Amino acid sequence: MAISVMKRVTIIAEQANKELLLESLQELKGTEIVPFEEVEEADRDIFFDGASLNSEDSKLNHYTLNKIEEAIEFLKQYGSQPSFIKRMRKKRKVYSLKELETEVNSMNLESLLRLVSEKRSELEQLRRAITELEEKERFLRRWTNLDFSLKESDDFKHFDVVVGSIDTEDSSEFIDNLKNVTDKVLVQEVYYTEDTSGYTIVFSKEHQEDVLEFIRRSDFTELDYEYDKLPKEELQVVLSKRKEMIEEQSELVKRFKSNRQLLSNLKIAQEYYANLIEREKASQLLLNSSHLFILKGWMDADEVSDNIVNINHVIGEDNLAIFTYDVDPEEDNLDDVPVKLKNSAFSAPFETLTLQYGTPKYNSIDPTPFFSFSQVLFFGLMSADVGYGLLLFIATFVPIMFFELSPGMRKTLKSFNYMSVGTILVGLFLEVSLDSHYHLV
């Protein structure tokens, strides 16, 4: 096969029919709209660029699409997914652009986005609160052996108490130096880790000034304890709160998982706004006047007649003018002509291989048929095993026949399916050849 023959198309219509025409072309697919490179000086007062049209609406549509995509990403984190087999077997619902618009208009999109935003905010607050409680838990667990209140130590008449921590590697030196200050000091370890160690230091009030001065000059950090209860008791309160919040978080996530329709509706809205923005981009490529607009683009020559019939049916033959032109190598820059590959059912799945090396130019040769034959042959020669070929054939044939696949995935599986046939044929050929050789020997 070869590269499809293209035709240049120019359409002139009233501004009132612009959106309808763009919808019709988008639904037909296969039309590439191109910008006007230059406008005659005399026409500049009549025609103007489409980029300035409805800029506020365009910003709003982009903003809405971003919000929808954020909501979808959030729901995907917590929404339950059906099994792989169910997802692959599930039929994809196909909408026309008009049906898609009706579906989106029937749902209260603003309310859905607000609901997701509120729940996301609620979940984020719970996550932050749980993180804070976990930090408190780590702090309290270190000090669970502290069995007296620091506030009570202020009432001691003959002794003073300091509680705090120091780097573990400096702790031994710190204690030795502290005991050099006064021998009337008691140092009790409260906790020990590789990084830091916690101590309770009890000393006589008569040496208070010397001991406190030494502590201030060292790297010892006094404990800032903000709770009324002992660490062991406060830890139980924190663990109880954390458990309640985790349960609340789980319940919220569970509600998300059970509401699959919410995610489905948002995906429909995403498709609608993505299409709307694509039409806006196309609209900016048009040449506009107050009453008319001109559209220039390319269509597959084999599809032009059917496309014109469909456009006339939607808009009305009397409401627009359509002009088609063959590609002229002298007038048209062939590098600007879009390329559409057209191959047989056997070669089409290998088009992705061709595109990996770059899209062929319009006036060049499509190497896909050669690639498809050589790929099947060389894959078969490399594998050359009937058993492996049968396994690969079954593994690709089943999803092709019974699963709902994206066009790209279907092409990929078909290419491997054809290569599995090559593997089987080469394997059979080699087995027969080797068997004949052994018989001859």
Side-chain angles (χ1 to χ4, degrees), residues 83-98:
S83 67
F84 175 78
I85 299 296
K86 284 184 178 179
R87 289 203 309 273
M88 292 294 100
R89 293 295 306 274
K90 186 180 179 181
K91 294 273 185 188
R92 287 183 175 84
K93 195 168 183 180
V94 180
Y95 294 92
S96 66
L97 289 178
K98 189 58 66 178

Side-chain angles (χ1 to χ4, degrees), residues 418-436:
Y418 294 147
M419 286 189 284
S420 71
V421 174
T423 301
I424 294 169
L425 293 176
V426 172
L428 287 171
F429 174 76
L430 291 178
E431 283 185 13
V432 171
S433 298
L434 290 172
D435 189 51
S436 301

Side-chain angles (χ1 to χ4, degrees), residues 53 72-74 182 196 209 235 267 338 348-349 376 407 417:
L53 297 176
I72 288 173
E73 285 304 311
F74 170 73
T182 175
T196 62
E209 188 176 337
L235 178 61
K267 285 183 176 180
V376 171
N417 186 257

Side-chain angles (χ1 to χ4, degrees), residues 166-169 192-197:
I166 190 170
D167 290 345
T168 299
E169 61 182 15
Y192 172 87
T193 67
E194 289 184 1
D195 299 321
T196 62
S197 297

Side-chain angles (χ1 to χ4, degrees), residues 103-268:
E103 191 75 19
V104 171
N105 290 336
S106 66
M107 65 176 78
N108 190 340
L109 181 60
E110 186 177 347
S111 176
L112 294 180
L113 291 174
R114 193 186 312 114
L115 172 65
V116 175
S117 179
E118 288 172 356
K119 295 304 177 185
R120 180 169 56 186
S121 177
E122 187 179 341
L123 202 58
E124 190 60 37
Q125 287 176 4
L126 280 170
R127 191 182 294 113
R128 282 198 297 267
I130 290 170
T131 301
E132 288 176 7
L133 288 173
E134 287 172 345
E135 289 175 0
K136 289 180 180 179
E137 180 190 349
R138 284 193 291 271
F139 169 78
L140 291 167
R141 283 191 184 280
R142 283 202 299 266
W143 296 100
T144 48
N145 291 330
L146 188 65
D147 54 5
F148 67 91
S149 171
L150 294 179
K151 292 179 181 178
E152 292 176 0
S153 67
D154 295 337
D155 300 329
F156 294 167
K157 292 181 180 180
H158 304 292
F159 296 96
D160 199 357
V161 178
V162 175
V163 179
S165 59
I166 190 170
D167 290 345
T168 299
E169 61 182 15
D170 300 328
S171 60
S172 298
E173 184 182 354
F174 169 78
I175 294 170
D176 292 340
N177 291 334
L178 178 60
K179 288 180 178 178
N180 289 333
V181 174
T182 175
D183 55 354
K184 294 181 179 179
V185 63
L186 173 66
V187 181
Q188 183 178 6
E189 185 179 273
V190 181
Y191 77 87
Y192 172 87
T193 67
E194 289 184 1
D195 299 321
T196 62
S197 297
Y199 295 97
T200 300
I201 304 172
V202 183
F203 50 91
S204 171
K205 290 234 177 184
E206 62 184 271
H207 298 98
Q208 184 182 46
E209 188 176 337
D210 294 336
V211 172
L212 292 179
E213 177 62 26
F214 171 76
I215 289 174
R216 276 193 292 271
R217 285 189 287 104
S218 66
D219 293 328
F220 189 84
T221 305
E222 291 192 44
L223 174 63
D224 181 17
Y225 192 78
E226 60 186 26
Y227 308 102
D228 295 326
K229 298 178 181 179
L230 293 175
K232 190 179 293 184
E233 296 169 355
E234 190 64 37
L235 178 61
Q236 296 307 313
V237 175
V238 169
L239 290 175
S240 177
K241 285 183 180 177
R242 180 171 170 269
K243 182 181 178 183
E244 289 174 7
M245 287 188 175
I246 289 175
E247 288 174 354
E248 188 178 347
Q249 184 186 44
S250 298
E251 185 60 33
L252 191 57
V253 170
K254 194 183 295 181
R255 288 202 293 271
F256 277 131
K257 287 184 177 180
S258 62
N259 194 353
R260 291 183 184 174
Q261 189 59 41
L262 176 60
L263 181 59
S264 176
N265 286 341
L266 288 175
K267 285 183 176 180
I268 291 171

Side-chain angles (χ1 to χ4, degrees), residues 306-398:
D306 291 338
N307 287 347
I308 290 175
V309 170
N310 284 316
I311 293 168
N312 287 335
H313 175 73
V314 172
I315 298 178
E317 192 172 351
D318 297 333
N319 295 326
L320 77 168
I322 302 177
F323 306 93
T324 61
Y325 310 88
D326 293 330
V327 176
D328 188 342
E330 295 182 0
E331 292 187 9
D332 296 313
N333 184 353
L334 297 182
D335 290 340
D336 294 336
V337 181
V339 174
K340 180 181 178 182
L341 303 181
K342 181 181 289 186
N343 287 288
S344 64
F346 172 73
S347 296
F350 296 92
E351 288 175 352
T352 51
L353 185 63
T354 300
L355 297 176
Q356 286 179 4
Y357 294 95
T359 305
K361 290 188 176 182
Y362 181 73
N363 59 340
S364 64
I365 297 172
D366 177 12
T368 305
F370 169 76
F371 278 157
S372 58
F373 174 76
S374 60
Q375 185 75 2
V376 171
L377 176 61
F378 289 126
F379 189 87
L381 289 171
M382 285 188 296
S383 305
D385 185 276
V386 176
Y388 174 74
L390 284 171
L391 284 174
L392 184 58
F393 179 84
I394 294 168
T396 52
F397 180 78
V398 171

